[in-house]
Amino acid sequence: MPVIIGIVQVFLTIGAQYWQLRNPDLGRVPLNWWGYALLLVGPLSIALRRRAPVAALAVTLVSTSVYMLLGYAYGPVFLSPIIVICTAVLSGHRRAAWLSSGAFFLFVVAYATWFIPHRASLFHHTAVAAYLLLTLTVAEFYRMRRERLAERERVEREEARRQASEERLTMAQELHDVLAHNISLIHVQASTALHLLDDRPEQARTALTTIKQASKDVLTEMRGVLSLLRDGAPRSPTTGMAHLADLAERSGLPVALKVVGRERPLPAGVDRAGYRIVQEALTNVARHAPGSRVTVRVAYAPEELTVTVEDDGSGTARAEAGLGGGNGIPGMRERAAALGGSLSAGPRPGGGFRVEARLPLPPSEDQKEPM
C-alpha cells in the first residue's frame, strides 16, 4: 500500500499543479526535488505506521505542513494524513490522533490566513475542520466496531471453554458412575463366588456369570462415554431410563421394577440423572447389604419424575473394604440439584434403606396451552 500511495501522490500532484500553476492568484510553485521528497515522506511513514504509529503521525503531518508552506500544488498530499490519523486511532493512540489533528487544523487556519496571497474564507476553515472530524469519526467508529467484535469473540471463546469444562466434568462423572457400579458389582459377586465355590458350585457359577456380564457392560459403557471425545461423535447420553430393566437384571440383586404414570420422552439430563441415581443406589445395596430385595419405583407426573429405590435390609450387612467411599449419596444429590430437583436418602422405619429423587420436568406437548 505505501508504494501505491506514493505513486498516486506524485503523479496526481503533477496533474494538479498543471492547472494550479496557470492561476497566478494561487501563488503555487512548480515541484522540484524537494517537493517530490516531501510527497514521498508520507508513504514512507505509512510503511512504518504499525510499528510506530505516533511517530508516523507526527512525521506525516509535519512533512505535509512543510509542503504547504513551500507553496507546492494542493492535491493527494492529504491522503497520507488520513491514513496515519486512522491508524493512530485504531492502534489505541486516540489522544495523539485528536491533538495532532487539532494542531494541524490550527496550522491550516494560520497558513490560509497569513501565508497565501488571498486570505481564505470561513467556509474554507469549516471545510478543513469537517474533513478532519470526518476522518476521526470514521476511525473511531471502526475502532469501536473492532473492539465489539473482539469482545464478542472473547465471550464466545470463554463460553466454548466453559462448555468444554462442563462436558469434561460430565464425562468424568459418567466414568466414575460406570466404574463404581460395575467394579463394585464384580467385587461383590467375586466374593460371593469364592464363598460358595466349594459348598454350592452352582450358585458360584451364577455369580461368575454375573461377573462376566458386568465386565462386558463396563467396557461397553466406557467406550460409549469415551466416544464423546472423538471429533464428530454424537453428544447424547449412553444410558437412560429405558435401560433400567437391563440394569436391574445385571445388578445381582432381586429387583422389582415398577413404573407409575404414562411414560414419555425425557430431557437428556433428566434421563441420564435418573438412570445414574438408580445405578448408584443399587451399587450401595450390593456393596453394603447384598441379597436384599430391592424395589425400584419410577413415577411420571406432569411436572416431575420421581425415582425411588428401597431395599428391605434382609441381606447380609457388609462394609466392603478396599472399595473406597466413592461419591455415593452426595453424588446423587448433586445430580438432582444440578437439574433443580432434590434427593432424600436414609434408613426405612421397618429396616433397609430408601433413596428418593425428584427431578423437575418440562410440560409435555399436550399440556402446553394453544397459542
Side-chain angles (χ1 to χ4, degrees):
M1 186 172 69
V3 175
I4 296 175
I5 293 174
I7 294 173
V8 168
Q9 288 195 169
V10 170
F11 285 96
L12 291 187
T13 301
I14 293 174
Q17 80 166 353
Y18 174 79
W19 299 104
Q20 294 180 27
L21 291 177
R22 299 168 74 94
N23 186 353
D25 292 337
L26 296 178
R28 302 289 184 259
V29 299
L31 286 170
N32 53 21
W33 69 270
W34 183 240
Y36 287 113
L38 289 173
L39 284 173
L40 294 176
V41 170
L44 290 176
S45 299
I46 291 173
L48 302 175
R49 72 191 189 283
R50 300 191 186 279
R51 187 174 303 176
V54 176
L57 174 65
V59 170
T60 301
L61 293 181
V62 169
S63 65
T64 304
S65 301
V66 173
Y67 178 92
M68 295 172 63
L69 284 173
L70 294 178
Y72 297 117
Y74 289 177
V77 66
F78 299 110
L79 182 59
S80 293
I82 294 176
I83 295 174
V84 293
I85 288 173
C86 291
T87 300
V89 172
L90 294 176
S91 62
H93 301 281
R94 301 172 57 213
R95 179 178 297 179
W98 282 88
L99 292 177
S100 299
S101 299
F104 185 68
F105 170 72
L106 293 177
F107 162 78
V108 172
V109 171
Y111 167 79
T113 303
W114 293 296
F115 293 93
I116 59 176
H118 300 282
R119 178 179 299 182
S121 64
L122 179 62
F123 175 79
H124 173 271
H125 303 331
T126 304
V128 173
Y131 165 84
L132 291 172
L133 285 174
L134 178 62
T135 300
L136 290 165
T137 301
V138 171
E140 291 284 1
F141 171 78
Y142 278 102
R143 178 191 63 81
M144 291 187 292
R145 182 175 180 272
R146 190 171 65 179
E147 288 179 355
R148 285 197 298 268
L149 291 176
E151 177 64 17
R152 183 185 304 172
E153 291 177 358
R154 186 193 66 80
V155 171
E156 290 176 353
R157 288 195 300 269
E158 290 293 330
E159 179 66 16
R161 282 196 290 266
R162 184 189 66 79
Q163 291 180 355
S165 297
E166 290 181 356
E167 288 179 357
R168 286 194 293 269
L169 180 61
T170 299
M171 284 187 284
Q173 192 174 26
E174 290 290 302
L175 283 174
H176 168 271
D177 291 343
V178 168
L179 292 174
H181 172 74
N182 288 282
I183 292 177
S184 295
L185 179 59
I186 290 172
H187 181 85
V188 170
Q189 294 298 327
S191 300
T192 302
L194 288 174
H195 179 71
L196 299 175
L197 186 60
D198 294 330
D199 299 333
R200 286 174 283 181
E202 290 302 320
Q203 294 185 17
R205 181 185 298 275
T206 302
L208 292 173
T209 302
T210 303
I211 291 173
K212 177 183 177 182
Q213 184 61 40
S215 61
K216 178 181 177 182
D217 292 339
V218 71
L219 291 174
T220 301
E221 290 201 51
M222 284 185 64
R223 279 194 295 268
V225 173
L226 294 177
S227 68
L228 297 178
L229 296 173
R230 301 195 189 102
D231 292 337
R235 298 190 180 277
S236 58
T238 56
T239 53
M241 299 296 287
H243 299 88
L244 282 185
D246 295 336
L247 176 64
E249 183 179 351
R250 64 175 187 264
S251 66
L253 298 167
V255 179
L257 178 61
K258 300 179 180 180
V259 178
V260 179
R262 184 171 63 86
E263 295 186 51
R264 69 177 193 264
L266 300 173
V270 174
D271 194 29
R272 184 168 58 248
Y275 179 91
R276 293 304 185 193
I277 288 171
V278 174
Q279 184 182 61
E280 183 65 27
L282 293 178
T283 300
N284 289 340
V285 175
R287 181 184 298 174
H288 301 294
S292 298
R293 289 187 293 274
V294 183
T295 300
V296 177
R297 184 176 182 272
V298 181
Y300 289 83
E303 297 181 353
E304 71 175 8
L305 175 74
T306 304
V307 178
T308 307
V309 182
E310 295 180 323
D311 70 90
D312 59 5
S314 60
T316 304
R318 180 190 302 168
E320 293 293 344
L323 291 178
N327 226 10
I329 294 174
M332 291 189 284
R333 187 168 285 119
E334 288 175 5
R335 279 189 179 273
L339 298 170
S342 61
L343 184 136
S344 60
R348 297 173 62 223
F353 203 82
R354 184 173 188 268
V355 174
E356 182 178 81
R358 296 180 177 273
L359 307 176
L361 293 176
S364 58
E365 291 297 328
D366 55 357
Q367 292 173 321
K368 294 179 180 178
E369 295 183 1
M371 297 297 291

Short mmCIF file of all heavy atoms in Angstrom, two decimals, residues 40 42 50 95 109 113 178 208 228 238 243 262 272 288 293 309 349 371:
data_model
loop_
_atom_site.label_atom_id
_atom_site.label_comp_id
_atom_site.label_asym_id
_atom_site.label_seq_id
_atom_site.Cartn_x
_atom_site.Cartn_y
_atom_site.Cartn_z
N LEU A 40 6.94 11.96 -0.87
CA LEU A 40 7.23 10.56 -0.56
C LEU A 40 7.44 10.31 0.94
O LEU A 40 7.52 9.16 1.36
CB LEU A 40 8.49 10.12 -1.32
CG LEU A 40 8.34 10.09 -2.85
CD1 LEU A 40 9.68 9.74 -3.49
CD2 LEU A 40 7.27 9.09 -3.26
N GLY A 42 5.30 10.96 3.39
CA GLY A 42 4.07 10.36 3.91
C GLY A 42 3.98 8.87 3.62
O GLY A 42 3.75 8.07 4.54
N ARG A 50 2.50 0.81 11.61
CA ARG A 50 2.09 -0.22 12.59
C ARG A 50 3.15 -0.39 13.67
O ARG A 50 2.83 -0.73 14.80
CB ARG A 50 1.84 -1.55 11.87
CG ARG A 50 0.73 -1.46 10.82
CD ARG A 50 0.32 -2.83 10.33
NE ARG A 50 -0.64 -2.72 9.24
CZ ARG A 50 -1.94 -2.50 9.39
NH1 ARG A 50 -2.43 -2.36 10.60
NH2 ARG A 50 -2.74 -2.42 8.34
N ARG A 95 -5.62 9.91 21.83
CA ARG A 95 -5.29 11.27 22.27
C ARG A 95 -4.29 11.91 21.31
O ARG A 95 -4.44 13.08 20.93
CB ARG A 95 -4.72 11.24 23.68
CG ARG A 95 -4.33 12.61 24.22
CD ARG A 95 -3.81 12.54 25.63
NE ARG A 95 -4.85 12.05 26.54
CZ ARG A 95 -4.65 11.87 27.85
NH1 ARG A 95 -3.46 12.10 28.37
NH2 ARG A 95 -5.63 11.44 28.60
N VAL A 109 -5.38 26.89 9.42
CA VAL A 109 -6.07 28.18 9.55
C VAL A 109 -5.06 29.32 9.49
O VAL A 109 -5.26 30.34 8.79
CB VAL A 109 -6.87 28.21 10.87
CG1 VAL A 109 -7.40 29.62 11.12
CG2 VAL A 109 -8.02 27.22 10.81
N THR A 113 -4.59 32.05 6.43
CA THR A 113 -4.88 33.44 6.79
C THR A 113 -3.72 34.36 6.47
O THR A 113 -3.92 35.49 5.99
CB THR A 113 -5.23 33.52 8.30
OG1 THR A 113 -6.34 32.66 8.57
CG2 THR A 113 -5.59 34.96 8.70
N VAL A 178 -19.96 -45.28 36.07
CA VAL A 178 -19.84 -46.57 35.37
C VAL A 178 -18.88 -47.49 36.10
O VAL A 178 -19.17 -48.66 36.37
CB VAL A 178 -19.38 -46.33 33.91
CG1 VAL A 178 -18.97 -47.64 33.26
CG2 VAL A 178 -20.48 -45.67 33.11
N LEU A 208 -20.29 -66.00 38.90
CA LEU A 208 -19.27 -65.81 37.88
C LEU A 208 -19.87 -65.33 36.56
O LEU A 208 -19.27 -64.53 35.84
CB LEU A 208 -18.49 -67.12 37.67
CG LEU A 208 -17.61 -67.56 38.84
CD1 LEU A 208 -17.04 -68.95 38.58
CD2 LEU A 208 -16.49 -66.56 39.07
N LEU A 228 -17.37 -39.68 23.28
CA LEU A 228 -17.67 -38.25 23.25
C LEU A 228 -16.42 -37.42 22.98
O LEU A 228 -16.50 -36.26 22.57
CB LEU A 228 -18.29 -37.80 24.58
CG LEU A 228 -19.63 -38.44 24.94
CD1 LEU A 228 -20.07 -37.95 26.29
CD2 LEU A 228 -20.67 -38.13 23.90
N THR A 238 -25.29 -42.12 26.88
CA THR A 238 -25.08 -43.51 26.52
C THR A 238 -26.04 -44.42 27.27
O THR A 238 -26.15 -45.60 26.93
CB THR A 238 -23.64 -43.92 26.84
OG1 THR A 238 -23.37 -43.67 28.23
CG2 THR A 238 -22.66 -43.10 26.01
N HIS A 243 -33.16 -48.21 29.95
CA HIS A 243 -32.29 -49.35 30.21
C HIS A 243 -32.36 -49.81 31.66
O HIS A 243 -31.50 -50.57 32.10
CB HIS A 243 -30.84 -48.98 29.87
CG HIS A 243 -30.63 -48.62 28.44
ND1 HIS A 243 -30.78 -47.33 27.97
CD2 HIS A 243 -30.27 -49.37 27.37
CE1 HIS A 243 -30.53 -47.31 26.68
NE2 HIS A 243 -30.23 -48.52 26.28
N ARG A 262 -47.83 -42.31 32.88
CA ARG A 262 -47.61 -42.52 31.46
C ARG A 262 -46.18 -42.15 31.11
O ARG A 262 -45.73 -41.02 31.30
CB ARG A 262 -48.58 -41.66 30.65
CG ARG A 262 -48.48 -41.88 29.13
CD ARG A 262 -49.61 -41.15 28.43
NE ARG A 262 -49.54 -39.72 28.64
CZ ARG A 262 -48.80 -38.88 27.88
NH1 ARG A 262 -48.08 -39.37 26.89
NH2 ARG A 262 -48.81 -37.59 28.12
N ARG A 272 -30.54 -39.19 31.95
CA ARG A 272 -29.26 -39.73 32.41
C ARG A 272 -29.16 -39.71 33.93
O ARG A 272 -28.67 -40.66 34.55
CB ARG A 272 -28.11 -38.92 31.79
CG ARG A 272 -26.73 -39.47 32.12
CD ARG A 272 -25.67 -38.82 31.28
NE ARG A 272 -25.64 -37.37 31.42
CZ ARG A 272 -25.97 -36.51 30.47
NH1 ARG A 272 -26.38 -36.96 29.30
NH2 ARG A 272 -25.92 -35.21 30.67
N HIS A 288 -23.25 -52.89 50.49
CA HIS A 288 -23.44 -52.87 51.94
C HIS A 288 -24.45 -53.89 52.46
O HIS A 288 -24.41 -54.24 53.63
CB HIS A 288 -23.88 -51.46 52.39
CG HIS A 288 -22.90 -50.40 52.03
ND1 HIS A 288 -21.64 -50.32 52.57
CD2 HIS A 288 -22.98 -49.36 51.15
CE1 HIS A 288 -20.99 -49.28 52.07
NE2 HIS A 288 -21.79 -48.68 51.19
N ARG A 293 -33.78 -57.58 49.03
CA ARG A 293 -34.76 -57.37 47.97
C ARG A 293 -34.95 -55.87 47.76
O ARG A 293 -35.11 -55.12 48.73
CB ARG A 293 -36.09 -58.04 48.33
CG ARG A 293 -36.04 -59.57 48.27
CD ARG A 293 -37.43 -60.18 48.47
NE ARG A 293 -37.91 -59.92 49.83
CZ ARG A 293 -37.62 -60.69 50.89
NH1 ARG A 293 -36.83 -61.74 50.73
NH2 ARG A 293 -38.10 -60.40 52.07
N VAL A 309 -35.78 -45.87 45.23
CA VAL A 309 -35.09 -47.16 45.35
C VAL A 309 -35.10 -47.55 46.82
O VAL A 309 -34.56 -46.82 47.66
CB VAL A 309 -33.65 -47.08 44.81
CG1 VAL A 309 -32.97 -48.45 44.92
CG2 VAL A 309 -33.62 -46.59 43.37
N PRO A 349 -38.18 -47.05 58.21
CA PRO A 349 -38.64 -47.40 59.56
C PRO A 349 -38.62 -48.90 59.84
O PRO A 349 -38.28 -49.33 60.94
CB PRO A 349 -40.07 -46.84 59.60
CG PRO A 349 -40.08 -45.75 58.58
CD PRO A 349 -39.15 -46.21 57.50
N MET A 371 -51.66 -21.52 21.39
CA MET A 371 -51.39 -20.08 21.23
C MET A 371 -52.67 -19.34 20.83
O MET A 371 -53.45 -19.87 20.06
CB MET A 371 -50.30 -19.88 20.15
CG MET A 371 -48.96 -20.51 20.54
SD MET A 371 -48.24 -19.77 22.00
CE MET A 371 -47.82 -18.17 21.34
#
